[in-house]
Amino acid sequence: MLNGKRILLIISGGIAAYKALDLIRRLKEQGAGVRCVLSRGGAQFVTPLSVAALSEEAVYQDLFSLKDESEMGHIRLSREADLLVVAPASADLMAKMAAGLADDLASTVLLATDKPVLLAPAMNTRMWEHPATRRNLATLADDGVRTVGPGQGDLACGEVGAGRMAEPMEILAAVQACLGAENSGATLHGRRAIVTSGPTYEAIDPVRYIANRSSGKQGHAIAEAIARLGADTVLVAGPTNLADPVGVETVRVESARQMLAACEQALPADVAICAAAVADWRVDGTAQQKMKKDGSGQPPALALVENPDILASLAHLQDGRPDLVVGFAAETEQVVDYAQAKRARKRCDWIVANDVSDGTGVMGGDDNTVHLVTADAVDSWPTMSKQDVAATLARRIADHFDIS
Ligand code: C5P
């Protein structure tokens, strides 16, 4: 979605600089060209070699380097971009920007640019809340500089509060918003969507559970893509390590039964997309205390009972069934045949089917190869990133509502 866009990423000093490396990958996955300026402080946290390897471009560090200036003068550097992103943006660099100082390459490029600037601030809570930083932020906002984050949470300095740099996916969404890259004409404005994502945990006792390898990457990307097209989106997420997607109301649950209850609570909706890898079974009668070995050498017998099928429950609703119910079918063989059978059995409208057999790397990976199975067609999409699968599916859903 950022095909052909040029980003100048300025990495200033702060422990969050490590997240800038992931941001480079995310931007490039979306087709953007990324050129980086690494400040002296930034280079204390990430190496020029890592930045150059990930961006596949030279890294610019020094204002007074004859070599850098002859290859790419700082004025050209600041103008040959569609957007300047500062991540992390330190309190110091923001103060320099607000004051119009230009005493190193990063601040000079920021003063010389005629392009939009997006900041992802990262600092200690006290620094973030300091009246000087508040003043600088207000000045920068007046100057038209945009910001994403910071979030609340545990900070690297051991304190807790505001100041944590936005996650790379949040910064990516902000970049897309700044560049209007989400604007394909397709819209889901006025529609409400429920998306399920991630695995479920089914408790055996208070410390043990049954789970699966789903990362939630595909489901979370779908929630974000749907929200980006304007849908009022509720993401019901099982346990994952992913940040809550930007612009999405996220309800975190653990078990299949909690996931179903949260989906029912989120109704009514125009579209439901069940991308979660819901556990088929749970333990019958979860132990209230931690189970212990009894010395007999005999393992405990775990009796399983079937979990509710969330997709089928939503698709079978007599009253208030979402207009479009989309399921997923992860298969290791006969992918399309099984998906067609599943579509009929669960009475959903579409199935996104994928091959998760060993060696495909889909489970937990960043790419996906899917077939969209509808009532009268099977569309096989080329292998693409999970973000692109999400964006393509979101556009198909928007088209469905446009036509129907
Ligand atoms: O039957 P199977 O688990 O292969 O079906 C996969 C589809 O059904 C996915 O869309 C998944 O989210 C959904 N599902 C569900 N609740 C279950 C099991 C699967 O919503 N208990």
Side-chain angles (χ1 to χ4, degrees):
M1 280 191 295
L2 292 173
N3 263 342
K5 298 290 183 191
R6 294 159 312 167
I7 309 292
L8 182 69
L9 175 63
I10 298 169
I11 305 172
S12 71
I15 182 66
Y18 77 93
K19 292 194 206 170
L21 299 178
D22 190 33
L23 177 61
I24 297 173
R25 275 188 50 226
R26 303 285 178 190
L27 290 165
K28 288 186 66 82
E29 263 171 22
Q30 297 295 317
V34 185
R35 193 175 268 164
C36 298
V37 170
L38 187 58
S39 76
R40 193 163 344 136
Q44 299 292 325
F45 294 92
V46 292
T47 69
L49 191 61
S50 319
V51 176
L54 286 165
S55 65
E56 300 173 287
E57 295 245 11
V59 179
Y60 298 88
Q61 291 184 267
D62 196 353
L63 180 58
F64 302 110
S65 150
L66 271 180
K67 180 175 162 288
D68 283 4
E69 276 296 305
S70 60
E71 276 173 10
M72 169 77 64
H74 61 271
I75 302 292
R76 226 180 100 201
L77 199 54
S78 70
R79 308 270 169 87
E80 275 189 8
D82 298 299
L83 177 71
L84 274 63
V85 179
V86 189
S90 65
D92 176 66
L93 184 52
M94 283 167 45
K96 277 186 192 164
M97 287 173 73
L101 292 179
D103 64 350
D104 64 3
L105 184 60
S107 53
T108 304
V109 160
L110 285 159
L111 194 62
T113 194
D114 56 354
K115 296 296 172 359
V117 177
L118 173 70
L119 303 182
M123 64 197 74
N124 168 273
T125 304
R126 288 280 158 78
M127 293 167 78
W128 175 247
E129 286 167 359
H130 196 285
T133 306
R134 315 309 310 164
R135 273 197 306 276
N136 292 335
L137 257 176
T139 304
L140 291 169
D142 277 353
D143 292 346
V145 172
R146 301 177 204 193
T147 50
V148 50
Q152 302 266 344
D154 292 331
L155 304 175
C157 52
E159 293 182 12
V160 179
R164 214 173 127 123
M165 188 171 89
E167 294 303 320
M169 293 304 285
E170 294 173 83
I171 301 175
L172 178 67
V175 167
Q176 284 167 340
C178 283
L179 293 172
E182 80 278 31
N183 187 8
S184 64
T187 178
L188 283 168
H189 277 288
R191 303 285 177 184
R192 184 170 161 86
I194 300 173
V195 181
T196 70
S197 178
T200 62
Y201 284 2
E202 308 297 332
I204 297 172
D205 68 15
V207 295
R208 303 180 178 95
Y209 56 81
I210 298 173
N212 61 63
R213 294 184 198 281
S214 166
S215 64
K217 283 180 186 170
Q218 187 62 82
H220 277 56
I222 290 169
E224 193 158 304
I226 294 276
R228 215 180 291 129
L229 290 191
D232 173 15
T233 308
V234 178
L235 170 65
V236 182
T240 75
N241 291 325
L242 304 174
D244 294 351
V246 176
V248 171
E249 181 192 335
T250 304
V251 183
R252 289 176 180 250
V253 297
E254 281 217 338
S255 67
R257 285 187 295 177
Q258 289 169 353
M259 190 173 269
L260 175 62
C263 287
E264 286 171 346
Q265 184 89 42
L267 287 167
D270 299 286
V271 52
I273 304 156
C274 295
V278 184
D280 288 324
W281 303 283
R282 67 177 182 278
V283 176
D284 191 12
T286 304
Q288 293 308 303
Q289 304 299 333
K290 184 182 169 191
M291 292 163 74
K292 306 295 250 183
K293 286 185 276 190
D294 63 7
S296 69
Q298 291 298 311
L302 291 182
L304 301 178
V305 284
E306 200 167 304
N307 264 330
D309 191 307
I310 299 163
L311 173 65
S313 307
L314 295 174
H316 279 78
L317 280 175
Q318 298 290 337
D319 272 341
R321 180 192 190 275
D323 190 64
L324 184 67
V325 179
V326 183
F328 272 68
E331 304 290 355
T332 54
E333 56 177 348
Q334 299 181 53
V335 176
V336 170
D337 288 351
Y338 283 160
Q340 278 165 329
K342 195 167 292 181
R343 199 188 79 81
R345 193 171 67 248
K346 301 205 184 196
R347 286 205 217 153
C348 57
D349 302 292
W350 298 354
I351 285 266
V352 180
N354 60 357
D355 185 346
V356 291
S357 47
D358 264 1
T360 56
V362 169
M363 281 301 228
D366 291 326
D367 289 343
N368 209 351
T369 313
V370 307
H371 312 270
L372 181 67
V373 179
T374 60
D376 38 35
V378 178
D379 285 358
S380 295
W381 297 350
T383 299
M384 45 183 141
S385 70
K386 289 182 176 174
Q387 268 76 25
D388 283 347
V389 169
T392 310
L393 182 65
R395 280 196 297 273
R396 280 295 292 261
I397 292 171
D399 289 347
H400 165 85
F401 285 109
D402 203 26
I403 296 161
S404 57

